[in-house]
Amino acid sequence: MDNRFDLTEHSHRRYNPLTGEWVQVSPHRSKRPWQGQVEKTGEDNRPAFDPTCYLCPGNVRANGEVNPTYPSTYSFTNDFAALVNDVPAGDFQDGDLLLARSEAGICRVICFSPRHDLTIAEMDTDGIRRVVDLWVDEYTQLSRQPNINYIQIFENKGTVMGCSNPHPHGQIWSQESIPVEPAKKQQHQEAYYQRKGVTLLSDYWPLEVRRAERIVFENEHFVALVPFWAVWPFETMIIPKRAMARITDMTEAERQAFADAYRRMATRYDNLFEVSFPYSAGIHQAPSDGAPHAAWHWHMVFYPPLLRSATVKKFMVGYEMLANPQRDITPEFSAARLRDLPEIHYKQTLLSESSNP
Ligand code: H2U
């Protein structure tokens, strides 16, 4: 019997060089039967305008403000912001063990489209390009505010990810400190840059293109892949080919290519289980603290919770909570599934099939 270590067969740990963390991979376990919880997918027949939606154009929000009749994108300061600017600056400390610090910030809500029934997966690239432009404008404005040193752009999609409203939207939370996840990535990218003189991701993406097994697709300026160290079953990254610290560094052509990559990834996700695919996605980029941060290479990450169908979710419990994350299906298997999917949304395909039987 051949007993050589094989990543596709044998239990192993994989290292995430961006965070310094490890993930347990157990490929031999992916055939185990499932008799646990099945998620409800929910009805996906939404109207283009919902008079009760607080994000639709012209509607009243929870605090009584009225949204304008916006034609493409719209952003506003979150009416229930987790971080606010009028916090008295201060520290609390008792010895070495009890430590707290005031944290000011600004939270924004970003409506991707006036259409209540769309998602990024069903929007066209030009519509998504307007979202990208708005993110760049928001980043620019927020970075000029005093005490805003980090800006987290993200999207929660689907009720299973805690999204409160199906209207296509995302959020931005910006604040004084660098939060935990980007701080880890900053530390590891800095150390790599000091050692090698190039960004970690500008060495990583060509390696993945050469190996090919985890690539989902690429365009002229971006690579989309399942990272070697992926934790979530269908976790992916969109990486710019050029080393850039922030999304504000993108050229016109790169913004368009980023919109193209975001649409293609979201559409492939919906096509995977023919459902509006839930995820939390967001952009990790350099702090907005005035320093250049040459070691930072910005990128977008997608963390989807679904495992093997529209209704079976991956649970991060037990060992994952107490030890470290664990996955059964390999990143290479997930990449192959995503790579083989069409980039035309399944609803479009169904529509054209029913009009041309
Ligand atoms: P999520 O669906 O990802 O939770 O985002 C919706 C955000 O919109 C949420 O943070 C805000 C909530 O505070 N919101 C408003 O700012 N105004 C409203 O009228 C309702 C919801």
Side-chain angles (χ1 to χ4, degrees):
M1 185 182 123
D2 185 359
N3 205 22
R4 267 176 306 177
F5 172 55
D6 180 348
L7 287 178
T8 65
E9 295 269 337
H10 301 125
S11 161
H12 62 276
R13 309 177 86 203
R14 291 193 189 190
Y15 180 64
N16 180 341
L18 280 170
T19 62
E21 291 167 349
W22 292 83
V23 52
Q24 167 66 35
V25 186
S26 313
H28 55 287
R29 212 163 155 259
S30 52
K31 289 175 201 80
R32 84 197 156 108
W34 180 260
Q35 294 182 317
Q37 178 174 330
V38 169
E39 294 294 323
K40 291 196 177 57
T41 52
E43 271 297 303
D44 197 25
N45 294 322
R46 284 180 273 137
F49 172 78
D50 177 349
T52 67
C53 166
Y54 56 77
L55 297 179
C56 276
N59 286 356
V60 183
R61 296 211 303 275
N63 68 350
E65 251 177 78
V66 179
N67 295 326
T69 52
Y70 59 97
S72 59
T73 56
Y74 172 55
S75 57
F76 59 92
T77 296
N78 197 313
D79 303 314
F80 307 97
L83 292 147
V84 290
N85 236 346
D86 55 353
V87 176
D91 280 316
F92 166 87
Q93 190 158 8
D94 189 346
D96 288 343
L97 299 180
L98 303 186
L99 183 64
R101 199 163 290 152
S102 59
E103 185 75 7
I106 302 170
C107 295
R108 306 274 295 162
V109 179
I110 310 289
C111 299
F112 295 162
S113 162
R115 287 266 306 268
H116 186 77
D117 56 338
L118 292 183
T119 64
I120 292 289
E122 292 175 80
M123 283 169 64
D124 61 21
T125 307
D126 289 344
I128 299 171
R129 167 63 197 269
R130 288 190 281 271
V131 176
V132 172
D133 288 344
L134 181 57
W135 282 342
V136 171
D137 290 349
E138 287 282 329
Y139 187 100
T140 306
Q141 298 297 329
L142 287 165
S143 64
R144 289 189 186 132
Q145 302 299 315
N147 295 334
I148 295 297
N149 295 313
Y150 185 77
I151 298 166
Q152 185 59 61
I153 294 172
F154 64 98
E155 177 191 2
N156 284 330
K157 183 178 172 226
T159 48
V160 65
M161 295 311 289
C163 183
S164 61
N165 183 332
H167 192 107
H169 71 282
Q171 298 193 47
I172 302 179
W173 291 22
S174 62
Q175 63 190 97
E176 287 182 270
S177 310
I178 304 176
V180 173
E181 287 303 310
K184 283 187 251 178
K185 288 189 172 180
Q186 165 138 318
Q187 185 199 336
H188 287 84
Q189 290 185 103
E190 276 294 341
Y192 193 90
Y193 193 78
Q194 292 300 325
R195 237 179 24 252
K196 304 266 187 160
V198 290
T199 67
L200 190 158
L201 289 180
S202 50
D203 273 351
Y204 176 61
W205 76 257
L207 176 65
E208 288 290 22
V209 168
R210 184 158 56 75
R211 297 192 69 95
E213 59 201 335
R214 283 171 296 274
I215 298 292
V216 180
F217 63 87
E218 44 178 320
N219 65 22
E220 195 183 345
H221 299 290
F222 290 84
V223 182
L225 51 80
V226 178
F228 181 74
W229 51 83
V231 164
W232 293 93
F234 291 96
E235 176 176 333
T236 58
M237 284 173 89
I238 295 177
I239 307 172
K241 292 182 176 174
R242 189 166 69 87
M244 287 178 265
R246 306 174 179 85
I247 58 169
T248 45
D249 297 334
M250 277 190 285
T251 62
E252 284 287 311
E254 283 166 336
R255 288 190 195 193
Q256 196 67 22
F258 180 40
D260 169 70
Y262 189 13
R263 186 200 70 74
R264 290 165 69 183
M265 184 57 86
T267 302
R268 282 170 185 266
Y269 272 147
D270 273 17
N271 287 343
L272 182 61
F273 301 133
E274 299 208 340
V275 66
S276 182
F277 196 78
Y279 56 70
S280 274
I283 294 169
H284 278 146
Q285 56 186 320
S288 53
D289 56 2
H293 290 290
W296 257 101
H297 192 133
W298 77 264
H299 51 279
M300 185 164 188
V301 292
F302 292 79
Y303 300 143
L306 293 185
L307 173 56
R308 65 185 76 199
S309 71
T311 53
V312 176
K313 184 174 170 259
K314 160 78 183 166
F315 285 97
M316 287 288 182
V317 294
Y319 181 83
E320 283 97 338
M321 283 179 139
L322 294 156
N324 58 218
Q326 183 273 343
R327 62 180 295 140
D328 294 345
I329 60 169
T330 61
E332 297 70 43
F333 173 87
S334 304
R337 290 278 320 262
L338 290 168
R339 192 165 53 237
D340 288 346
L341 291 165
E343 290 182 342
I344 305 215
H345 197 270
Y346 71 91
K347 283 191 195 163
Q348 293 278 331
T349 314
L350 288 177
L351 259 180
S352 63
E353 276 169 8
S354 63
S355 55
N356 301 306

